[in-house]
């Protein structure tokens, strides 16, 4: 408190209640402008100038240069000849986000999981269900998860190989090539971006 | 690998505590230092703009009044912005005005640093509201809480006054929150978080479908959301959304951002008290409780959901319902524990989907509300328990208890009792009330014991000013908007006012000299007593509801 000569009471700060309230109003306006307008707009300007690709949603283009989505946002793949994404209660509609928020004992969630396993058996005869990784039949938190685990990609190889005629070795190599490691070799999990993998798959299939 | 990455993040935090705590001390000790040269001119300009001529110390009552009136004025502006957002600029999505009770809930939620969100970011608010209401209140509520914590520390460490609210508020912004937020914003953009004013994107997917992708000025909100321990997401899915949190590195950055300032406050307190060990002992008590509860969540989530494990699939990844592949169990468990310890309330995995035992971690941290804690509140609460611990020990040996050389007497203990009792009161009474009415019960989305936890979590999160939720609960109704709004208000202001009153009261007392009989508050014994006090009070209050909710659900799933 060195710069202050009048300690402890502070009553001299405001001559009247009106002046006190006026101070708080002016204080609020200053910070609404500073934190609510200047800060986000300056951040936007800086981001747009310095890192436009990242700042605009990391859009992904196919070989012909057409935008096919965002590298960060998952997509729904209904075609069995492609790698499938995780379960999404919102069907990867990215104008919204979220999930059903099913609790671990929720009967609807348990039924959905059983149905997914039954469907998996129909679509992937010959692959034992004990190899089906749990991430593939559970709903992600965002409903937009762009990734599956490497195991969840590899387990789909026999089905896709049969439907497309591409040798399993080629597909496995493709999965390996698109497996992203942990960040800095340490943080997070190994993962495969399903959209990027399927983009590569369509190139191979051509 | 899971445990290693968790330990590395904790180590990074511990290494940052001393430099950051020292910096915070320099900012708020009001002694001249080097940072004046960088920030002094800007601050003087602001003091001139707001007409603050004298920056003398305030009485504790004056400090409380300045804090509350400033918050009130900010609330009035924010309420008007949300109610009128349809006609205001930067609304490319053509989003309509917000409904009354939802607006009431939203402005309280943000000014109390809670960020419980009963609206969805994509569809409920314009870009202008995201900036001028959400982002702005994330700064100002954090700065308000920080200021009050600093005032409390000045009071109990016997400075000449609790300080000047307006000066603290301005300094917290100019020297801490704004520069740090700019830095983290740019780092997040580099890690692919969007920052644009363009409206929702439209793309044609690989399968030829149309996909609309909501976007916006995300990074500038995301940074202060964590630095200010606010937690309100730009999008409905919060930090689980790939645009808010694109990968493990951004996840680590967000964890450190929300944890750093609360974890550095005990060190700053130690410097104010002139006894750094004192600060480390408080930090040690917090970290001990943190690690134990982190372990509970990590173990439970790694073990997975027994009902799904029984279906014969490869469940070795753990419980993945509601989680993102890029984070896995380790980065999800750490995020859940930090966000409820630091009362941020952002989520990178859905807490409603946590395994029963895993959900005990966030619930307990918010019930205790003092393991690191939100902007300042955690330190205040932990010191409150420290004084209570000293008081209990004093009773046992039959000596008038002292804390930092000042006698703890009836007035202080009454105020502390109020602050300790208000927390369970505003959690348990409304929870029971919600079950008595169809308005409350009707919103439960998960049957059985889990539904009990959903309701409990909503009020615990409101009372602790955390803001995360068991989001399945259909909570955007007048009933939930109003009841949680009132709980958030009481949870924030009652204990803050009571504790500033304690600070004011201690400040008036003459220090007593330290003798051989003085109970020391800077050694391991004290840390143990502190942890014991916290756990005993917490268990006595909340164990029954924990048994009724998560434990009962666990027993049915096994």
């Amino acid at each position: 408190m060195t710069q202050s000569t009048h300690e402890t009471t502070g009553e001299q700060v405001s001559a009247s209640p009106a002046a006190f309230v006026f101070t708080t109003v002016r204080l609020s306006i200053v910070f609404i402008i500073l934190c609510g307008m200047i800060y986000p707009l300056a951040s936007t300007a800086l981001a747009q100038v310095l890192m436009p690709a990242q700042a605009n949603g990391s859009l992904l283009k196919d070989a012909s240069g057409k935008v096919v989505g965002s590298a960060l946002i998952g997509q729904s793949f209904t075609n069995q000849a492609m790698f499938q994404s995780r379960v999404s209660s919102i069907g990867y509609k990215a104008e919204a986000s979220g999930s059903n928020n099913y609790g671990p004992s929720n009967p609807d969630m348990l039924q959905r999981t059983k149905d997914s396993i039954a469907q998996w058996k129909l679509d992937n005869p010959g692959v034992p269900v004990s190899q089906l990784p749990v991430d593939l039949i559970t709903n992600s938190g965002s409903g937009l998860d762009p990734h599956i685990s490497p195991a969840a990609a590899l387990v789909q190889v026999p089905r896709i190989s049969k439907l497309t005629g591409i040798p399993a070795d080629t597909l496995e190599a493709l999965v390996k090539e698109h497996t992203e490691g942990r960040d800095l070799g340490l943080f997070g999990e190994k993962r495969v971006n399903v959209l990027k993998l399927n983009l590569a798959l369509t190139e191979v299939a051509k | 690998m899971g445990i290693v990455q968790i330990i590395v993040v904790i180590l990074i935090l511990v290494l940052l505590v001393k430099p950051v705590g020292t910096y915070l001390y320099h900012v708020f000790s009001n002694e001249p230092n080097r940072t004046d040269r960088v920030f002094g001119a800007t601050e003087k300009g602001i003091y001139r703009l707001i007409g603050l001529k004298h920056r003398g110390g305030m009485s504790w009552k004056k400090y409380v009044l300045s804090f509350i009136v400033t918050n009130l004025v900010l609330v009035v502006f924010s309420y008007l912005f949300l109610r009128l957002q349809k006609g205001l600029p930067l609304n490319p999505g053509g989003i309509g005005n917000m409904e009354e009770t939802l607006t009431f809930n939203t402005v309280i939620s943000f000014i109390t640093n809670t960020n419980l969100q009963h609206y969805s970011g994509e569809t409920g608010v314009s870009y202008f509201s995201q900036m001028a209401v959400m982002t702005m209140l994330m700064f100002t509520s954090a700065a308000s809480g920080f200021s009050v914590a600093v005032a409390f520390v000045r009071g109990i460490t016997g400075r000449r006054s609790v300080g000047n609210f307006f000066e603290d508020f301005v300094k917290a912004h100019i020297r801490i929150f704004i520069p740090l937020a700019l830095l983290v914003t740019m780092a997040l953009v580099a890690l692919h978080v969007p920052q644009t004013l363009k409206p929702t994107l439209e793309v044609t997917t690989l399968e030829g479908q149309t996909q609309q992708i909501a976007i916006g000025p995300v990074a500038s909100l995301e940074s202060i959301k964590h630095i200010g321990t606010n937690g309100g997401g730009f999008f409905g899915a919060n930090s689980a959304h790939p645009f808010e949190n694109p990968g493990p590195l951004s996840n680590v950055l967000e964890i450190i951002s929300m944890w750093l300032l609360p974890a550095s406050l005990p060190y700053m307190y130690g410097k104010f008290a002139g006894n750094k060990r004192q600060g480390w002992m408080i930090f040690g008590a917090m970290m001990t409780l943190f690690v134990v509860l982190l372990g509970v969540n990590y173990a439970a989530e790694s073990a997975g959901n027994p009902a799904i494990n029984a279906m014969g699939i490869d469940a070795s990844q753990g419980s993945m319902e509601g989680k993102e592949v890029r984070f896995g169990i380790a980065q999800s468990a750490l995020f859940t524990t930090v966000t409820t310890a630091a009362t941020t309330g952002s989520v990178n995995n859905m807490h409603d989907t946590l395994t029963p035992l895993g959900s005990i971690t966030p619930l307990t941290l918010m019930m205790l509300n003092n393991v690191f804690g939100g902007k300042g509140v955690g330190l205040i609460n932990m010191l409150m328990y420290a004084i209570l611990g000293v008081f209990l020990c004093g009773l046992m040996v039959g000596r008038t208890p002292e804390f930092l050389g000042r006698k703890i007497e009836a007035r202080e203990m009454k105020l502390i009792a109020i602050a300790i009792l208000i927390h369970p009161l505003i959690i348990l009474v409304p929870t029971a009330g919600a079950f008595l009415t169809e308005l409350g019960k009707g919103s439960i989305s998960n049957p059985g014991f889990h539904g009990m936890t959903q309701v409990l979590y909503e009020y615990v999160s409101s009372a602790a000013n955390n803001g995360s939720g068991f989001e399945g609960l259909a909570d955007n109704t007048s009933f939930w908007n109003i009841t949680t709004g009132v709980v958030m208000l009481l949870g924030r202001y009652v204990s803050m006012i009571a504790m500033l009153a304690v600070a004011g009261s201690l400040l008036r007392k003459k220090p007593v000299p330290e003798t051989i009989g003085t109970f020391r508050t800077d050694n391991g014994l004290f840390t143990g007593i502190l942890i014991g006090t916290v756990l005993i009070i917490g268990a006595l209050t909340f164990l029954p509801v924990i048994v009724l909710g998560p434990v009962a659900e666990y027993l049915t799933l096994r």
Side-chain angles (χ1 to χ4, degrees):
Chain A
M1 306 290 142
T2 47
Q3 86 279 42
S4 175
T5 49
H6 25 246
E7 302 288 349
T8 62
T9 62
E11 304 308 329
Q12 74 290 340
V13 170
S14 58
S16 69
F20 172 71
V21 172
F22 190 47
T23 299
T24 64
V25 171
R26 284 198 278 178
L27 181 72
S28 301
I29 293 174
V30 165
F31 281 99
I32 288 172
I33 293 172
L34 195 59
C35 301
M37 296 169 195
I38 294 177
Y39 156 75
L41 293 176
S43 300
T44 310
L46 264 177
Q48 289 291 335
V49 171
L50 297 177
M51 299 169 272
Q54 288 95 324
N56 290 308
S58 309
L59 296 176
L60 205 59
K61 292 174 179 163
D62 66 9
S64 64
K66 189 170 81 73
V67 174
V68 290
S70 162
L72 301 180
I73 304 290
Q75 293 185 2
S76 163
F77 293 97
T78 49
N79 184 351
Q80 292 292 321
M82 294 221 205
F83 288 94
Q84 313 279 295
S85 306
R86 300 182 66 192
V87 177
S88 165
S89 63
I90 56 170
Y92 289 92
K93 290 190 169 50
E95 64 263 39
S97 59
S99 72
N100 281 332
N101 283 292
Y102 284 140
S105 60
N106 190 303
D108 294 341
M109 186 274 291
L110 295 173
Q111 192 55 48
R112 187 206 70 207
T113 311
K114 279 183 196 140
D115 292 347
S116 294
I117 295 173
Q119 188 62 46
W120 165 266
K121 284 181 186 159
L122 284 180
D123 296 336
N124 300 272
V127 184
V129 77
S130 62
Q131 288 180 12
L132 171 60
V134 67
D135 62 311
L136 208 51
I137 52 159
T138 44
N139 202 128
S140 66
S142 62
L144 303 172
D145 195 342
H147 298 114
I148 52 178
S149 63
L154 289 172
V155 79
Q156 301 187 50
V157 162
R159 182 192 74 230
I160 295 169
S161 172
K162 197 155 64 178
L163 291 174
T164 59
I166 302 171
D169 294 353
T170 315
L171 289 173
E172 273 167 21
L174 204 60
V175 170
K176 230 167 239 144
E177 190 190 321
H178 284 85
T179 300
E180 300 165 30
R182 299 167 194 268
D183 285 11
L184 305 181
L186 177 64
F187 299 118
E189 300 297 327
K190 288 186 183 156
R191 54 205 186 270
V192 179
N193 185 306
V194 186
L195 177 56
K196 285 183 186 169
L197 179 60
N198 279 331
L199 261 180
L201 177 67
T202 49
E203 287 305 308
V204 174
K206 262 178 200 168
Chain B
M1 221 41 193
I3 290 177
V4 176
Q5 50 181 301
I6 288 175
I7 292 174
V8 169
V9 176
I10 294 177
L11 278 181
I12 295 174
L13 177 92
V14 172
L15 288 176
L16 285 170
V17 162
K18 194 177 163 184
V20 174
T22 308
Y23 179 74
L24 294 179
Y25 175 75
H26 284 315
V27 170
F28 291 112
S29 68
N30 292 354
E31 285 152 12
N33 65 73
R34 273 179 297 169
T35 53
D36 291 342
R37 252 181 288 163
V38 186
F39 302 108
T42 316
E43 285 167 0
K44 289 218 178 74
I46 292 174
Y47 297 143
R48 210 167 298 137
L49 275 176
I50 64 175
L52 187 69
K53 292 196 194 78
H54 307 286
R55 289 181 292 169
M58 294 174 164
S59 66
W60 77 266
K61 283 182 186 156
K62 179 90 183 181
Y63 201 98
V64 166
L65 192 70
S66 312
F67 158 59
I68 289 184
V69 174
T70 304
N71 278 200
L72 195 66
V73 174
L74 290 166
V75 156
V76 171
F77 276 111
S78 306
Y79 187 86
L80 291 176
F81 288 158
L82 288 176
R83 296 282 292 135
L84 303 172
Q85 65 179 355
K86 187 163 188 253
L88 292 171
L90 289 179
N91 186 8
I95 286 161
N97 297 330
M98 196 181 266
E99 182 265 336
E100 290 104 332
T101 63
L102 181 57
T103 315
F104 166 82
N105 186 278
T106 304
V107 293
I108 289 179
S109 171
F110 279 80
I111 195 69
T112 57
N113 204 249
T114 312
N115 293 213
L116 193 71
Q117 294 170 292
H118 289 178
Y119 65 92
S120 199
E122 293 94 334
T123 51
V125 283
S126 69
Y127 287 174
F128 179 81
S129 298
Q130 291 276 28
M131 292 174 5
V133 179
M134 278 69 199
T135 308
M136 181 279 287
L137 286 176
M138 284 180 173
F139 277 102
T140 50
S141 67
S144 299
F146 221 67
S147 301
V148 170
V150 171
F152 178 72
V153 168
R154 288 193 190 114
I156 64 167
T157 55
R159 296 270 150 161
R160 271 189 279 177
S161 81
V162 293
N164 182 306
F165 174 76
F166 297 122
E167 186 182 12
D168 290 342
F169 185 80
V170 171
K171 278 183 157 182
H173 278 101
I174 302 299
R175 298 193 187 201
I176 302 168
F177 292 118
I178 294 178
L180 201 54
L182 269 175
L183 199 71
V184 174
T185 300
M186 286 305 128
L188 285 173
V189 175
L191 294 168
H192 296 267
V193 177
Q195 178 71 24
T196 172
L197 296 176
K198 287 196 192 105
T200 299
L201 308 169
E202 191 174 298
V203 298
T204 306
T205 66
L206 207 52
E207 288 203 333
Q209 307 285 325
T210 304
Q211 188 184 37
Q212 315 259 2
I213 303 178
I215 195 166
V218 185
S220 61
L221 178 142
E222 199 65 23
S223 57
I224 187 62
K225 159 183 153 187
H226 288 108
I227 295 163
T229 64
N230 295 282
F234 193 97
F235 302 106
N238 209 300
S239 290
H241 196 295
F243 274 169
E244 290 202 26
N245 195 355
L249 266 188
S250 63
N251 198 55
V252 171
L253 180 61
E254 290 176 15
I255 287 174
I256 296 285
S257 295
M258 62 174 141
W259 204 3
L260 184 56
L261 293 174
S264 302
L265 275 176
Y267 187 85
M268 180 200 82
Y269 155 74
K271 293 216 34 141
F272 265 100
N275 180 349
K276 279 180 238 165
R277 275 178 64 85
Q278 186 96 33
W280 283 119
M281 289 304 139
I282 302 272
F283 180 87
M286 290 175 167
M287 190 53 103
T288 307
L289 289 166
F290 177 90
V291 169
V292 170
L293 286 162
L294 171 65
V296 170
N297 184 275
Y298 181 69
E301 297 305 307
S302 299
N305 180 346
I308 290 185
N309 296 354
M311 293 179 189
I313 57 167
D314 172 12
S316 58
Q317 289 173 75
S319 175
M320 287 304 288
E321 179 79 18
K323 291 194 181 63
E324 305 284 302
V325 167
R326 61 193 181 282
F327 304 137
I329 302 295
Q331 289 291 331
S332 297
L334 187 59
F335 199 100
T336 290
T337 313
V338 174
T339 196
T340 45
T343 72
T344 307
S346 55
V347 292
N348 81 346
N349 67 102
M350 295 300 128
H351 288 186
D352 213 345
T353 62
L354 288 174
T355 59
L357 296 183
S359 72
I360 290 178
T361 294
L363 277 169
T364 306
L365 284 164
M366 293 188 293
M367 286 165 172
L368 301 179
N369 202 14
N370 56 16
V371 181
F372 298 110
K375 273 293 121 345
V377 185
L379 179 68
I380 295 184
N381 285 341
M382 198 48 127
L383 290 172
M384 172 173 94
Y385 278 94
I387 297 175
L388 181 68
V390 166
F391 178 75
L392 293 176
C393 294
L395 287 184
M396 281 189 256
V397 298
R399 238 184 96 95
T400 312
E402 295 155 16
F403 189 68
L404 299 182
R406 282 179 171 72
K407 286 204 165 85
I408 307 295
E409 290 166 305
R411 179 179 154 81
E412 291 80 46
M413 287 320 298
K414 277 183 198 156
L415 288 163
I416 286 175
I418 291 174
I420 287 184
L421 290 177
I422 186 80
H423 188 58
L425 187 76
I426 59 177
I427 291 171
L428 299 176
V429 171
T431 302
F435 278 102
L436 292 176
T437 68
E438 211 36 59
L439 288 171
K441 260 195 311 190
S443 299
I444 294 171
S445 68
N446 284 301
F449 297 110
H450 193 89
M452 157 79 205
T453 317
Q454 276 191 306
V455 173
L456 175 69
Y457 195 102
E458 186 77 0
Y459 287 115
V460 173
S461 173
S462 301
N465 296 139
N466 179 281
S468 63
F470 267 30
E471 292 294 348
L473 191 74
D475 50 17
N476 183 16
T477 63
S478 302
F479 173 83
W480 288 103
N481 286 338
I482 293 167
T483 56
T484 56
V486 172
V487 169
M488 286 188 279
L489 276 179
L490 294 172
R492 174 88 167 170
Y493 294 102
V494 172
S495 64
M496 276 191 169
I497 294 170
M499 295 316 286
L500 275 179
V502 170
S505 164
L506 287 176
L507 210 48
R508 280 198 298 273
K509 297 190 183 195
K510 281 210 179 69
V512 288
E514 191 174 307
T515 66
I516 186 100
T518 305
F519 180 66
R520 296 192 66 88
T521 53
D522 60 355
N523 54 20
L525 174 66
F526 177 71
T527 304
I529 287 170
L530 184 54
I531 294 172
T533 312
V534 168
L535 288 181
I536 289 167
I537 303 266
L540 285 175
T541 325
F542 291 114
L543 208 53
V545 282
I546 294 265
V547 170
L548 278 177
V551 174
E553 189 187 9
Y554 170 71
L555 294 174
T556 59
L557 265 183
R558 230 157 29 110

